[in-house]
Structure formats: structure tokens, C-alpha cells
């Protein structure tokens, strides 16, 4: 018991003293945390609001129903399911609705920024789908549109998956829509990473551009509780099928305490989302530029490095992604190694790159000056080979002034 509490306390203190740059993470607002930790975490609710298999939910039904309606109106979607307990579960439910064993699908592949759930080791493989890949154009750091069109016509996949885990620029959803209509191919846009930016109107809106369905996590640039969501503009029949895959297909209880926190985060995004998203993208561009000027090999210089919360750095010359990420951790700078777009030999244990996201530090109020300082810390550790322990002390001091969350309601 003592040991557990001490480890727990250490973790809390440590991550609060770190520069957190993992692109898939974020923190909820204090008020969202308050409505997250509630009696609802002990309760069960199978099925849909007002049509449950359990009693005791009269207030919760109203909360979930309002959450669904709020997302529907904000995203102009005719279908929303907030029950998936993670992005992967959203994909599993959606993929299994749209395709069956042996069917062909077209995804980005790891070199193009796919999430593992789109691929053979993940949900797509679990469902027995045949996974084909888009050709990725490293120059534009995006899908090769002409080759993609040909591939869709040739393969006639059941669905394509856009979006992804490494996503620096908007993708040609509109352009692919025309081809997909010819082959009756559905477009799923996995917005896990950029959902908050889309919500704020600062990244391409996939539904507006022709995607049939958005699958997503709710905790990356969208700073909600960890969980998943499915949205779409689809026919009633398909809506029902997806709902059935969510429950009883891939889950039973859906971790109810998430839902009020999700709703509250959407309300916060409606109020503060634009200034948050604008600053996130600005910070990402600045960090890329700073690192580039310090002679790091940041991808995408010709295109302004990024239009999302992420940047990608090739650290082959500095010891590789695994080595550099571990070294930075010793200095309290937390990020993750990643396969580079277009990397030839895929080695997920020893990839050539780093993926960096600025959304969490932006929420703590960091701007231009701090971004410059972060780049400098990274240079000192990686290029100047200064002692990470020494930099760690500086990082802790630096982080002290950025402990209070911005862009949210007062708790
Ligand atoms: C993070 C991520 C997921 C998985 O989300 P979980 O909530 O971790 O299951 C799915 N798709 C993409 C593109 C992601 O980046």
C-alpha cells in the first residue's frame, strides 16, 4: 500500500514537472475532471439512452442524449455514437460494419501515418480484412492523389481510411470522394489526432469534404476524457448497424463517467476552441522552425512544416528515434519515437524519427518564447550533449510557471 501510494505520487509529480510533447495526449480541464470522478464510474448502462437494459439511469440518459445532440449539431452530423471507449473500439465497430472477412480496404500504411488499428497487426487484421496501402508522396508529405485514384478504381475497396496518427497536412478527401462514388467505396476519416482542431474549425472538416464517417478518440487535440466517438452523415440503416456493432458487438458497458466530461469539454471547445487551436498550430509551426534553425532535420520545410499540432523530426543522424526519446526523458522532456513518413525499412522499435505535439503545453499557456526555450533544451540535450540531469533541473524550474490550464471554464 505504501509503495503503491508512493509510486502514484511520484508519477503525478513527475509528469507535472515535465515538458509533455506526446502528440496523442492532452489533459482535461479541472471542471471536466470534477464531473469525470463521480458515481457514474460505478454504474452500468447497456444500450441507448432511454432504451437501457438497466435501471437507475434517468439522469444519465438525459446527459448522454444531450451529449449526442450537441455533437450532432456542432459537427452537422446526422449520426453520433459516444459509447466507444476508445478510438480503436470506434474503428473496430465501424470497420466490422462496413466490411467482412476477406474484403479489401485501402489505408495509409505506417509510412503514410496509419494507426495500428487500420493495419494487419491491429483491428483490420483481427477482422480478416485485406489491407492495401496508398502510395505516400514524401515530397508533399501526403497521399499521392493520382496513384490513389488509380488504386481505388483497380482494387474497389469496401472503404478507405484517411486521417491517421502522423498527420501534418489536410488530405485530399474531396478529390477522393469523386472516385469513391464510382466504386461505392465508403470514406472513413480517423480524426483521432486532429479532432480538436476540426472541432474548432482549424483543420479540414472531413464530413463537409465528403467523408461518410469520422472515427476518433476524444483525448488528443480534443482535450476530453480518454474515449472514442463515431460521427457521420449516413443512412438510417447503416446507423443502426453501427450502433449494433458498438453494443452488443464490441462492448457492453461504456464507462459512463466519461460522458459528462466529454460534454463539458465540447462546451469548453465551443467557447475557447478557436483561440486554443489557433495557438496550437502557431506553436507547432514555431517549434518546427526553431528546431530547423538549430539544424535539426525537421520534415516539410517547403510546406511550412505543418498545419496541425504535430511536427516530425528525422533524428537518424542523432542516434535514432529510440535513443533520442529515451535521452530526452532523462531531461524531463517527454515525446515519442515514430516511423517517418516514407521510411523505407519499417522498424517500429528503432524508427528514424520523432513525433512531437504541442497541444498539451499550449493548454498550459506556452507561446512563442516558451517554444523557443523548448527547442533550446532539446538542442542542449541532443546536439550539445549536455548532461540530461542538468537540463532536467532547468526544465523543472521552467515548468513551474506553467501549471495552470488555459482555454477552459473555471472549476
Ligand atoms: C490514437 C489513435 C487511435 C486509437 O485511439 P485509442 O483511443 O488509443 O484506442 C486510432 N486512430 C488514430 C489515427 C490514432 O492516432
Amino acid at each position: 500500500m505504501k509503495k503503491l501510494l508512493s509510486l502514484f505520487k511520484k508519477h503525478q509529480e513527475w509528469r507535472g514537472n515535465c515538458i509533455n510533447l506526446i502528440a496523442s495526449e492532452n489533459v482535461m480541464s479541472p471542471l471536466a475532471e470534477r464531473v469525470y470522478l463521480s458515481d457514474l464510474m460505478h454504474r452500468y448502462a447497456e444500450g441507448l439512452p432511454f432504451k437501457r437494459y438497466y435501471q437507475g439511469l434517468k439522469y444519465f440518459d438525459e446527459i448522454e442524449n444531450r451529449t449526442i445532440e450537441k455533437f450532432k449539431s456542432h459537427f452537422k452530423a446526422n449520426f453520433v455514437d459516444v459509447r466507444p471507449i476508445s478510438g480503436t473500439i470506434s474503428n473496430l465497430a465501424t470497420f466490422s460494419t462496413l466490411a467482412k472477412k476477406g474484403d479489401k480496404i485501402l489505408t495509409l500504411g505506417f509510412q503514410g501515418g496509419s494507426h495500428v488499428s487500420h493495419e494487419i497487426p491491429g483491428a483490420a487484421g483481427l477482422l480478416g480484412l485485406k489491407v492495401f496501402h496508398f502510395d505516400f508522396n514524401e515530397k508533399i508529405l501526403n497521399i499521392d492523389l493520382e496513384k490513389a485514384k488509380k488504386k481505388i478504381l483497380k482494387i474497389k475497396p469496401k472503404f478507405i481510411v484517411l486521417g491517421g496518427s502522423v498527420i501534418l497536412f489536410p488530405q485530399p478527401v474531396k478529390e477522393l470522394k469523386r472516385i469513391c462514388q464510382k466504386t461505392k467505396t465508403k470514406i472513413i476519416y480517423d480524426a483521432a489526432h486532429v479532432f480538436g482542431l476540426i472541432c474548432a474549425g482549424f483543420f479540414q472538416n472531413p464530413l463537409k469534404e465528403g467523408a461518410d464517417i469520422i472515427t476518433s478518440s476524444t483525448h488528443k487535440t480534443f482535450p476530453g476524457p480518454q474515449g472514442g466517438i463515431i460521427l457521420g452523415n449516413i443512412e438510417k440503416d447503416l446507423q443502426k448497424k453501427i450502433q449494433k456493432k458498438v453494443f452488443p458487438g464490441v462492448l457492453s458497458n461504456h464507462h459512463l463517467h466519461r460522458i459528462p466530461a466529454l460534454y463539458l469539454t465540447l462546451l469548453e471547445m465551443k467557447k475557447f476552441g478557436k483561440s486554443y487551436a489557433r495557438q496550437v498550430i502557431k506553436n507547432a509551426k514555431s517549434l518546427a522552425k526553431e528546431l530547423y534553425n538549430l539544424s535539426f532535420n525537421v520534415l516539410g520545410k517547403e510546406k511550412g512544416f505543418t498545419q496541425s499540432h504535430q511536427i516530425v523530426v528525422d533524428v537518424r543522424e542523432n542516434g535514432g528515434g529510440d535513443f533520442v526519446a529515451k535521452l530526452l526523458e532523462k531531461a524531463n522532456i517527454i515525446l515519442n519515437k515514430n516511423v517517418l513518413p516514407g521510411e523505407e525499412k519499417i522498424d517500429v522499435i528503432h524508427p528514424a524519427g520523432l513525433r512531437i505535439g504541442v497541444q498539451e503545453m499550449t493548454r498550459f499557456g506556452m507561446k512563442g518564447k516558451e517554444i523557443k526555450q523548448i527547442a533550446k533544451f532539446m538542442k542542449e540535450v541532443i546536439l550539445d550533449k549536455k548532461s540530461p540531469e542538468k537540463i532536467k533541473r532547468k526544465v523543472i524550474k521552467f515548468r513551474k510557471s506553467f501549471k495552470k490550464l488555459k482555454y477552459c471554464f473555471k472549476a
Side-chain angles (χ1 to χ4, degrees), residues 20 54 145 176 185 189 203 243 274 308-309 343 348 371 393:
N20 294 307
Y54 293 90
L145 184 59
L176 292 173
T185 297
Y189 190 103
F203 205 74
Q243 284 174 334
K274 284 199 189 303
S308 75
H309 62 302
E343 195 172 332
V348 290
I371 295 297
R393 288 196 287 275

Side-chain angles (χ1 to χ4, degrees), residues 162-332:
L162 300 173
S165 296
V166 179
I167 179 159
L168 300 170
F169 301 103
Q171 295 162 346
V173 180
K174 243 184 261 166
E175 292 81 353
L176 292 173
K177 178 70 176 176
R178 260 171 260 144
I179 306 297
C180 287
Q181 274 167 335
K182 286 189 197 165
T183 54
K184 294 204 168 68
T185 297
K186 294 276 190 216
I187 301 179
I188 301 172
Y189 190 103
D190 184 341
H193 266 269
V194 286
F195 194 54
L197 306 179
I198 294 170
C199 182
F202 278 74
F203 205 74
Q204 71 184 155
N205 182 327
L207 293 182
K208 226 187 235 167
E209 294 185 13
D212 299 281
I213 294 170
I214 291 177
T215 58
S216 188
S217 309
T218 53
H219 50 265
K220 297 185 183 178
T221 52
F222 188 89
Q226 290 200 339
I229 190 168
I230 306 169
L231 310 93
N233 276 313
I234 47 178
E235 57 274 26
K236 203 89 205 158
D237 180 49
L238 186 54
Q239 297 181 13
K240 288 227 167 86
K241 282 185 185 155
I242 293 176
Q243 284 174 334
K244 275 193 183 148
K245 288 290 180 180
V246 173
F247 170 81
V250 294
L251 57 79
S252 81
N253 194 33
H254 58 284
H255 304 181
L256 315 188
H257 56 301
R258 291 184 303 114
I259 305 300
L262 181 66
Y263 189 3
L264 194 112
T265 308
L266 178 60
L267 296 180
E268 290 185 323
M269 286 296 283
K270 282 172 98 65
K271 186 150 165 76
F272 307 101
K274 284 199 189 303
S275 45
Y276 157 68
R278 187 182 296 117
Q279 191 63 47
V280 165
I281 294 168
K282 204 169 157 194
N283 283 350
K285 283 177 188 284
S286 310
L287 183 59
K289 214 168 114 213
E290 291 296 335
L291 289 171
Y292 184 86
N293 289 342
L294 293 171
S295 87
F296 280 100
N297 188 0
V298 188
L299 267 56
K301 162 108 189 3
E302 297 74 23
K303 295 200 64 199
F305 298 110
T306 185
Q307 287 177 34
S308 75
H309 62 302
Q310 299 180 355
I311 67 171
V312 178
V313 188
D314 181 342
V315 287
R316 251 175 288 209
E317 301 290 312
N318 315 102
D322 186 60
F323 173 78
V324 173
K326 283 176 179 157
L327 188 64
L328 287 170
E329 185 183 35
K330 288 185 192 152
N332 275 17

Side-chain angles (χ1 to χ4, degrees), residues 24 59 83 95 119-120 138 149 152 172 211 232-233 246 259 261 265 275 279 303 324 333 351 375 396 409:
S24 59
Y59 300 115
R83 293 172 302 168
F95 293 1
E119 304 300 324
I120 292 298
E138 289 156 57
K149 286 179 181 171
I152 291 168
N233 276 313
V246 173
I259 305 300
T265 308
S275 45
Q279 191 63 47
K303 295 200 64 199
V324 173
I333 298 171
I396 293 172
F409 297 137

Side-chain angles (χ1 to χ4, degrees), residues 10-24:
K10 275 186 184 154
H11 174 85
Q12 290 287 102
E13 274 176 16
W14 180 42
R15 291 300 295 265
N17 282 328
C18 286
I19 297 171
N20 294 307
L21 299 171
I22 291 186
S24 59

Side-chain angles (χ1 to χ4, degrees), residues 44-54 57 60-61 64-65 68 81-84 243-244 246-249 251-254 256 259:
Y44 251 84
E46 289 176 344
L48 292 163
F50 309 113
K51 287 179 239 164
R52 306 288 194 191
Y53 294 83
Y54 293 90
L57 299 163
F60 179 69
D61 276 349
E64 184 170 322
N65 198 46
I68 293 167
D81 198 321
V82 294
R83 293 172 302 168
Q243 284 174 334
K244 275 193 183 148
V246 173
F247 170 81
L251 57 79
S252 81
N253 194 33
H254 58 284
L256 315 188
I259 305 300

